[in-house]
Amino acid sequence: GINAEYMGEKLILAARVLVAIENPQDITVCSTRLFGQRAIYKFTQNIGCNMSAGRFIPGTFTNQIQAKFQQPRVLIVTDPRTDHQALAEARLSNIPVIAFCDTDAPLQNVDIAIPCNNRGKNAIAMMYWLLAREVLRMRGDIPRNTEWETKVDLFIYRDPEEAVKAEEAKAAAAAPKDEGLTWEAEQDDNAWSA
C-alpha cells in the first residue's frame, strides 16, 4: 500500500523544488498517458510552466536543431514507465526529475518519487491539483487559510465521447415527450360525392 503521510511529505518537497525555480517556464511537465493530459494542461495554466502532452518527441531535450528543443531545469512526469523517453533524455541532459510513482514504477533516473496511484484519472488529477495548490501557496499567490477556488474537477480527464452522450441525453430529456395523442382525420360518412 501507499503511505499517505509519506506521499504528503514528498509532495511538499517537490513543491519546494518547483518554487525555488525563479522562472516557471523552466519547468516542463510531461504526460504520455491520456488520463494525465488534461491534468498537466490545467497544472501548466495555474503554474505557468511548459507541457509536453501525448507522444514525447525524441530529441526534445537533446537535439538543439529541433524546433521544439527545450532546456528545462526540472521535469515532472506522470508515470516513469510510460514517460520513459522523457526520462532517458532528462538523464542525458542532467535534468532533475519529479515523478508520480505507483508501487511498481521503475525509479531509475527519478530524483523525487511521489508515491501515489498514477493509473486512475481521478488520482492523477488529484495529485496535480495538490501539487499546483501547494506551489501557489508557497509562492504566496493564495493564502493558506482560504480555499483555492479552482476545483479538482477541472483537472480530471473527460472522454469526448462521454460528453457527447451526456449532451444527447440532456437534449432527449428536454425534448417534448410524445404521449401518443395525435389528430386523426375524422371519417365523414355523409361526404358529398359528385
Side-chain angles (χ1 to χ4, degrees):
I2 295 175
N3 186 346
E5 185 177 332
Y6 190 65
M7 177 185 66
E9 290 175 8
K10 289 294 188 173
L11 197 74
I12 290 172
L13 175 65
R16 284 184 182 155
V17 169
L18 297 176
V19 169
I21 296 171
E22 304 87 30
N23 184 7
Q25 290 292 317
D26 289 339
I27 302 167
T28 298
V29 189
C30 178
S31 179
T32 305
R33 180 168 288 167
L34 188 63
F35 287 166
Q37 291 177 12
R38 182 176 170 105
I40 68 167
Y41 176 71
K42 290 297 183 179
F43 181 83
T44 56
Q45 276 187 330
N46 287 292
I47 302 302
C49 53
N50 292 321
M51 68 178 250
S52 172
R55 181 178 177 268
F56 184 82
I57 300 168
T60 301
F61 299 152
T62 55
N63 186 359
Q64 297 176 354
I65 299 172
Q66 188 178 13
K68 290 190 70 163
F69 176 72
Q70 296 176 353
Q71 285 184 309
R73 293 190 51 202
V74 173
L75 174 67
I76 304 170
V77 295
T78 304
D79 186 3
R81 191 175 307 282
T82 58
D83 299 323
H84 59 88
Q85 181 66 39
L87 279 175
E89 293 201 15
R91 178 181 56 86
L92 292 172
S93 302
N94 292 326
I95 299 169
V97 176
I98 299 170
F100 293 118
C101 298
D102 211 338
T103 54
D104 64 343
L107 297 179
Q108 292 89 2
N109 309 323
V110 174
D111 297 300
I112 299 175
I114 302 172
C116 65
N117 173 10
N118 62 7
R119 299 279 194 274
K121 61 183 179 181
N122 295 337
I124 293 170
M126 180 61 116
M127 292 308 298
Y128 274 109
W129 183 81
L130 287 169
L131 185 59
R133 185 184 70 172
E134 193 60 36
V135 168
L136 291 174
R137 284 180 172 176
M138 286 185 179
R139 281 185 189 165
D141 293 344
I142 56 173
R144 287 210 177 267
N145 57 1
T146 60
E147 285 281 322
W148 188 28
E149 290 91 27
T150 305
K151 302 295 180 208
V152 71
D153 297 352
L154 296 175
F155 284 68
I156 298 174
Y157 170 77
R158 295 200 183 3
D159 188 11
E161 293 175 4
E162 287 180 16
V164 169
K165 288 178 185 176
E167 284 182 21
E168 289 173 356
K170 190 183 287 184
K177 301 214 187 254
D178 184 22
E179 298 175 359
L181 300 176
T182 57
W183 292 96
E184 295 181 10
E186 293 182 18
Q187 296 293 331
D188 192 4
D189 295 332
N190 295 329
W192 291 77
S193 53

